[in-house]
Amino acid sequence: MYILLVDDEEELVSTLAERLGFRDIQADWATSAEQALELVEKNHYDIAVLDVRMPKISGFKLMHMIKEKVPDMRFIFLTGHGSESDFKEGSESGARFYLMKPLRLEVLVEKLNEALAGTAEGSESR
Amino acid sequence: MNTADEYDEQTSGHPDAGLAFFGKMCASISHEIKNCLAVISEQNGLHQDLLMLQRQGQPLAPERAEKITQSIADQVARMDRIVKRLNRFAHSSDRAWECIDLSDICAYTVELCSRFAVNRGITLASEGSAHLEVHCQPFAMLQVLVGCLEAGFAQSSSGQTLRLVVTREESGPVIAIMPSLEHTPPAVKSIAASMGLAFSRTTHGEATKISFTRG
């Protein structure tokens, strides 16, 4: 499994990537939509984990931009609280899961596996 | 919130615009706290992972442990600043009228709105004369200033700078919002009017001015 983590909190995504590496999940990270799009051009990721609220370009908008380049990529969103409008917008856009911050890594790994298998319906995890 | 009209709709349409403003600002601050907690949680998780690897025979370098400890300390300090900002905001609502330093409240407003600005790629700045005090309602004043900045966000594009500049004119203290607002939400004007503040534009239209008719 090869994943892309995108969040403007560098310490969060870099640490997450390292911890996923310990679990044999290869992860790259980006702190902006621009960086993420550059990485998507170069690598083929199975899943992108995106923060909903990022500077300049939101996670939702980034998802649409990535989908134009890689239509089969799957998405998981990270959110601070998960407002109703966020869930609605994400579900309509085809997001598979929402994970609340702070994350539980075992939950992220479980959702990554489910998203990759494509067996589960979209849901939220708090 | 994307446009000044939306701000108007959200605040003036709410049965209690002040409460709506309070809720929106607190929600935004709580997002910032969540980010700090998320980083601390990951650093703690990383420490646990490294300890587990150590138990399996892979030595844990002291520098790694120190880096994690430092990161947690940095996040705690960051959270402390955020909570102080939240505390000041909460107390702004329990004081009816008081003397406030305009430069100080403008700097504080910039701090409060920094997350909204960063999300739009906009830079905020406050400038101006020190110790220009006016008698007003701190919470309502924040509503007015945040409302103005949000109207400014709606007309600005990424890379632009919005400024709050405090000056003294012949008529009294003034806060200039630069560049000038194309649209000042009526709800904001109405709150300002209740404190005796007046909106106008500079002669050449480069700034929107908030004038204090009460000293």
Side-chain angles (χ1 to χ4, degrees), chain A residues 9 11 19 56 81 101, chain B residues 30 34-35 71 78 119:
Chain A
E9 292 283 344
E11 278 191 73
R19 296 188 69 205
K56 299 181 192 175
H81 291 291
K101 294 179 185 176
Chain B
S30 77
K34 277 276 200 171
N35 278 334
S71 168
R78 179 183 169 198
N119 284 343

Side-chain angles (χ1 to χ4, degrees), chain A residues 70-101:
Chain A
V70 191
D72 62 341
M73 190 160 343
R74 294 163 190 206
F75 296 89
I76 290 175
F77 281 102
L78 301 180
T79 178
H81 291 291
S83 67
E84 213 170 282
S85 61
D86 282 351
F87 286 127
K88 190 167 180 284
E89 188 175 354
S91 303
E92 284 168 2
S93 307
R96 194 157 281 267
F97 297 111
Y98 280 93
L99 298 178
M100 302 292 172
K101 294 179 185 176

